[in-house]
Amino acid sequence: MVLDCSPKLDVVFHALAHPARRAIIRQLSGGERNLSELASPLRMTFPAATKHVRVLEGAKLVRRRIAGRQHLCRLHAAPLKEAMLWTEQFRRNWEARFKVLDSLLDEMKSEEQSRSRRR
Amino acid sequence: MVLDCSPKLDVVFHALAHPARRAIIRQLSGGERNLSELASPLRMTFPAATKHVRVLEGAKLVRRRIAGRQHLCRLHAAPLKEAMLWTEQFRRNWEARFKVLDSLLDEMKSEEQSRSRRR
DNA sequence: GGTTTACTATACCAAATGGTATTACAATGT
DNA sequence: ACATTGTAATACCATTTGGTATAGTAAACC
């Protein structure tokens, strides 16, 4: 079970709670970018933009490698998965036909398991 | 496409970025609760707890109805779905076998389309 | 060598956040 | 009538957040 008190979830959800940081994530989903490339589409100063990148690094959503004078960032989306798993727990609360979906989910799960057994 | 600049996502992700609020959501996923019930398991004063409930109401995640002197809260999980849809966009970035999944997704999409054409 | 270029660091600010304590009020129980 | 319960409202506090301006460093270029 995904615990509510996970400090990871705190920082991940907080990192996602700002449009600039979500825009950065979207940019990085297209591949590696340096800080200038990430900052330029944002309507703020460069230092402000790099602060947002630091927040994303704190949430382990972004990793940075230094190449000469450029700082190249890449997305590490694994924490997003954990965030989604927490959210997923409440799917039945927004899904009207949740019984149908639950059975479908179970079906897919068992199918997945039998597939991995065959491997 | 789910836009990064949606103010809804801001407030929803922010609402999720606190363990107390996630605990409240989990409690409410089990059904209606009044404020005292929500506050008692949280390690904080009552006013602090009700502030968190207000934040959740601001994110449209919680609705309140007043019955006598009790304020009964219920979960309205729909905004969680939107948050998950945004996150879902980056599934391929954490999923190793994303090509397999993408083709599966396309398959489901075209199946869905042909179903809606038949309707 | 000197000038861009890419980025960091620091200081500073206003506003929001997360909490407390306290007071007040209305509905309920005895 | 009175005490208790469930909640609101206010004031207050420390800390964090999101931004700016400015100065500084280090690599690349002419």
Side-chain angles (χ1 to χ4, degrees):
Chain A
M1 189 185 70
V2 185
L3 291 171
D4 305 326
C5 60
S6 164
K8 271 192 194 179
L9 285 179
D10 288 20
V11 292
V12 171
F13 279 130
H14 173 251
L16 299 180
H18 196 291
R21 292 192 287 261
R22 290 196 300 275
I24 289 171
I25 288 176
R26 180 181 302 282
Q27 264 207 284
L28 290 178
S29 75
E32 217 169 28
R33 299 281 187 275
N34 69 26
L35 290 181
S36 298
E37 289 171 323
L38 291 176
S40 64
L42 307 175
R43 298 283 205 75
M44 60 183 72
T45 60
F46 186 83
T50 60
K51 277 190 182 182
H52 285 298
V53 174
R54 278 190 182 283
V55 172
L56 290 167
E57 287 182 274
K60 312 282 186 192
L61 281 164
V62 165
R63 284 171 182 175
R64 180 194 301 224
R65 70 184 177 88
I66 299 175
R69 59 180 169 182
Q70 295 197 71
H71 291 211
L72 295 166
C73 297
R74 64 161 55 234
L75 182 61
H76 176 65
L80 287 182
K81 184 179 182 179
E82 297 180 43
M84 222 187 64
L85 284 176
W86 186 88
T87 314
E88 186 79 42
Q89 297 178 293
F90 307 100
R91 175 183 282 279
R92 65 176 54 203
N93 290 86
W94 74 66
E95 193 66 64
R97 291 152 54 223
F98 66 82
K99 283 181 184 173
V100 185
L101 270 176
D102 278 0
S103 58
L104 187 72
L105 209 69
D106 290 341
E107 209 176 295
M108 286 172 71
K109 266 183 194 164
S110 54
E111 197 189 322
E112 171 69 28
Q113 278 165 7
S114 59
R115 225 202 331 267
S116 55
R117 270 195 299 274
R118 275 200 301 277
R119 265 188 235 121
Chain B
M1 189 185 69
V2 185
L3 290 171
D4 305 325
C5 59
S6 164
K8 271 191 193 179
L9 285 179
D10 287 21
V11 291
V12 171
F13 279 130
H14 173 250
L16 299 179
H18 196 290
R21 293 193 287 261
R22 290 196 299 275
I24 290 172
I25 289 176
R26 181 182 302 281
Q27 262 207 284
L28 290 178
S29 75
E32 218 169 27
R33 300 279 187 275
N34 71 21
L35 290 181
S36 298
E37 289 171 323
L38 291 176
S40 65
L42 307 176
R43 297 284 206 74
M44 62 183 72
T45 60
F46 185 84
T50 60
K51 277 189 182 182
H52 286 297
V53 174
R54 279 190 182 283
V55 171
L56 290 168
E57 287 183 274
K60 313 282 187 194
L61 281 163
V62 165
R63 284 170 182 175
R64 179 194 303 224
R65 70 184 178 87
I66 299 175
R69 60 180 169 181
Q70 295 198 71
H71 290 212
L72 296 165
C73 297
R74 65 161 55 234
L75 183 60
H76 175 64
L80 286 182
K81 184 179 183 178
E82 297 181 43
M84 222 187 64
L85 283 176
W86 186 88
T87 313
E88 187 78 43
Q89 298 178 293
F90 307 101
R91 176 182 280 279
R92 66 176 55 204
N93 291 85
W94 74 65
E95 191 66 63
R97 291 155 54 226
F98 65 81
K99 282 182 185 172
V100 185
L101 271 175
D102 278 359
S103 57
L104 188 70
L105 208 70
D106 290 341
E107 208 176 296
M108 286 170 71
K109 265 185 197 164
S110 54
E111 197 188 323
E112 173 68 29
Q113 277 164 8
S114 59
R115 222 199 336 264
S116 57
R117 271 197 298 276
R118 276 200 301 276
R119 268 189 227 121

